[in-house]
Amino acid sequence: RMFVIAYLVFIVGTIVIPLSHSLGPFLVGRVLTALGGGAMVPVALAVVGDVYPERRRARALGTLGAIETMGWVWGPLDGAMLVRFLTWQWQFWLNIPFAIGGLAASWWALSGQDRPAVRPRLDWVGATLLTVALVALNVALLGGAEIQSVNGLDELTGGSGPDLWWLFPLATAAGALFVIQQSYSRHPIFDPRLFRGRNLVIALIVNFVVGAALVIAMVDVPLFVNSVEIDLERAAVYAGWILSALTAAMALTSYLGGRITERWWYRPPILLGLAMSTAAYAWMGATWTADTSYPIFALQLALLGGGFGLTVAPTTSAVVDAAPADQRGAAASLVMVIRLMGLSVGLSALTAWGLTRFN
């Protein structure tokens, strides 16, 4: 039911956006698609945790990660072609029949699942405090910064928008209140039992690091290509194709990471993936100049994406496996929240370092 509700919210947003004739309804549609899509991801991870036994779970999570990452490859290219030959609204019109088909398939596939005998109450106070803390921190870190299509430092820093420093103390206060409130709540969002296992804590740390490292490539590649390429129209195309090497490699190795985890446990694919990513960044840092060829960029980013992809299944599996059955939804949401927080912190740190060096 939760997955279908999230899917319906996403579909409503998808319909509202192309019908909008002003910024207000357009933003409402974007918020709805973000809320629906954001809710679907952790619910999907929790579904895998419930449906598959532990010995087959890593392969399923790796497959899910591969399909998600394939969307990163196809989405920007698909959107660019639709804008080039049709209109931007078609990006959303074409979503609707696919989404309805996916909704029907989801209802059919999940209708036979067991429902919980007891439904715990949701801690609305804790949920509100956590939401305020996360939103305030992310907005303070990112501001209006672009992530996937940076043309210059002005976009990377969010332009000349308002000073948002006051959001940091707000996020700190809300986060502290959340921790205190959870210790007294009868129905906490995150059961303290979740954090007792070493595997879960290490997996979350790796997720954070991967999120922070991934955004460096997502920002630096278009920024670098736009800096050295004279023709800006060609630069956008080149940057998109070069980045697709990273995301395509991530999709492939996400599945392979699941198979390796299934056979040899969490540690081998995580260590191999981190070693590959570290080697790729070292290679990039030692060789990137204005004269470096784009095929070399693509090869380096494929190695980087391959390393990142290997960590997806084992880190997600470690968190979901460590959670009690009634906490898998919360554990799955932790995976995504920590990864996205790493992305926000990584982009903020990269911006600060880049501006310091520029100045």
Side-chain angles (χ1 to χ4, degrees):
R1 288 179 179 177
M2 190 63 240
F3 192 86
V4 168
I5 289 171
Y7 216 150
L8 284 170
V9 172
F10 176 82
I11 292 175
V12 171
T14 303
I15 295 171
V16 169
I17 292 171
L19 294 175
S20 302
H21 297 290
S22 61
L23 186 60
F26 182 87
L27 292 177
V28 170
R30 290 295 288 155
V31 169
L32 289 174
T33 54
L35 288 174
M40 286 167 64
V41 176
V43 175
L45 298 178
V47 165
V48 170
D50 286 343
V51 172
Y52 288 88
E54 187 171 334
R55 60 183 176 82
R56 294 183 57 202
R57 198 174 290 154
R59 186 192 305 191
L61 289 169
T63 304
L64 192 64
I67 292 172
E68 178 189 353
T69 311
M70 284 170 60
W72 296 6
V73 182
W74 174 248
L77 298 176
D78 169 59
M81 296 299 290
L82 289 172
V83 170
R84 173 68 178 81
F85 294 106
L86 296 171
T87 63
W88 66 266
Q89 286 92 340
W90 278 98
Q91 298 180 66
F92 300 95
W93 292 134
L94 290 179
N95 258 352
I96 295 170
F98 289 122
I100 292 174
L103 182 67
S106 302
W107 183 268
W108 171 79
L110 301 176
S111 60
Q113 298 304 313
D114 294 333
R115 293 182 175 87
V118 179
R119 295 182 181 177
R121 295 173 58 188
L122 182 61
D123 182 1
W124 288 105
V125 175
T128 302
L129 289 172
L130 181 61
T131 300
V132 170
L134 290 176
V135 171
L137 182 59
N138 272 278
V139 173
L141 287 171
L142 296 180
E146 285 287 338
I147 294 177
Q148 293 182 329
S149 57
V150 181
N151 291 309
L153 283 170
D154 188 59
E155 287 185 19
L156 184 58
T157 58
S160 56
D163 190 355
L164 302 174
W165 66 266
W166 57 273
L167 288 174
F168 284 111
L170 175 61
T172 303
L177 287 174
F178 172 74
V179 172
I180 296 170
Q181 185 268 343
Q182 287 290 284
S183 63
Y184 292 100
S185 175
R186 295 179 59 187
H187 305 282
I189 294 176
F190 299 115
D191 192 311
R193 291 176 295 168
L194 269 179
F195 302 97
R196 292 174 184 167
R198 184 177 64 177
N199 285 346
L200 180 141
V201 174
I202 293 175
L204 290 178
I205 292 172
V206 172
N207 258 305
F208 182 87
V209 171
V210 167
L214 177 61
V215 77
I216 295 175
M218 300 297 286
V219 167
D220 269 342
V221 170
L223 185 61
F224 188 88
V225 171
N226 280 306
S227 299
V228 300
E229 185 65 45
I230 296 175
D231 188 338
L232 288 181
E233 289 188 1
R234 288 198 310 170
V237 175
Y238 287 150
W241 280 110
I242 293 171
L243 277 177
S244 70
L246 180 144
T247 50
M250 279 188 68
L252 175 63
T253 56
S254 290
Y255 175 76
L256 293 177
R259 296 299 301 269
I260 295 172
T261 303
E262 189 177 84
R263 185 162 185 172
W264 286 299
W265 207 229
Y266 310 128
R267 186 180 298 171
I270 290 178
L271 292 179
L272 177 60
L274 294 177
M276 286 174 58
S277 301
T278 303
Y281 269 132
W283 186 15
M284 292 157 68
T287 58
W288 274 30
T289 69
D291 300 321
T292 306
S293 65
Y294 291 150
I296 295 295
F297 284 176
L299 179 61
Q300 293 168 332
L301 286 166
L303 178 63
L304 181 67
F308 285 149
L310 284 173
T311 67
V312 170
T315 54
T316 307
S317 296
V319 175
V320 174
D321 291 346
D326 62 344
Q327 284 284 304
R328 285 188 185 132
S333 70
L334 265 179
V335 174
M336 301 310 301
V337 168
I338 294 297
R339 191 177 302 167
L340 293 173
M341 287 305 301
L343 185 147
S344 300
V345 172
L347 181 56
S348 180
L350 176 66
T351 305
W353 179 85
L355 286 176
T356 300
R357 181 166 181 180
F358 177 78
N359 290 333

